[in-house]
Amino acid sequence: MTDLLFDHRLRALRRDRAARIGTELVLYSRAFDDCLDRLADIRGDFGNVLLEGCPDPAWPQRLNDSRVTVVDPGPVMAERAGGLCTDLDTLPFDGGTFDLILCIGILETANV
């Protein structure tokens, strides 16, 4: 087996440090706003949404009438967003559970 490229324990520690000292949201917010703009052009309903990585606890409410499940690798960041702390490489959900998955600023550190 090869060594993993990214250290997810270290990533979680860094995300929690950012949550404690205050996350700089400029780029995260821009990416999230861009996703919302694109979703506004799509007809249909996304009843179940998975939001992977949530540095701003206000994001789930901005997804309107959807049921939003938040996951984040950092325990502090996950708790602040009302979500579940989990490693994004091994999510505890069955395929087909969600109608939409948004991954903001964290997908680039996946080892899969």
Side-chain angles (χ1 to χ4, degrees):
M1 173 148 188
T2 62
D3 291 332
L4 297 176
L5 185 58
F6 296 103
D7 182 345
H8 287 190
R9 183 189 64 78
L10 182 59
R11 175 181 63 181
L13 290 171
R14 288 179 176 162
R15 289 182 71 78
D16 282 349
R17 181 183 65 204
R20 285 190 294 276
I21 64 174
T23 306
E24 182 57 51
L25 294 174
V26 173
L27 295 178
Y28 288 120
S29 294
R30 176 64 189 263
F32 188 70
D33 289 343
D34 286 350
C35 287
L36 293 180
D37 286 345
R38 291 183 179 120
L39 289 172
D41 293 334
I42 298 173
R43 291 185 184 157
D45 180 33
F46 299 106
N48 291 312
V49 177
L50 177 62
L51 179 56
E52 296 182 355
C54 187
D56 185 344
W59 285 1
Q61 294 85 345
R62 293 183 62 198
L63 289 164
N64 298 331
D65 296 329
S66 301
R67 286 180 301 281
V68 180
T69 301
V70 175
V71 294
D72 198 283
V76 173
M77 201 168 280
E79 182 180 337
R80 287 188 181 173
L84 172 69
C85 176
T86 185
D87 184 19
L88 301 181
D89 287 354
T90 56
L91 292 173
F93 306 109
D94 293 329
T97 302
F98 300 101
D99 304 313
L100 173 69
I101 298 174
L102 295 176
C103 190
I104 308 294
I106 202 161
L107 185 61
E108 64 275 8
T109 60
N111 283 314
V112 291

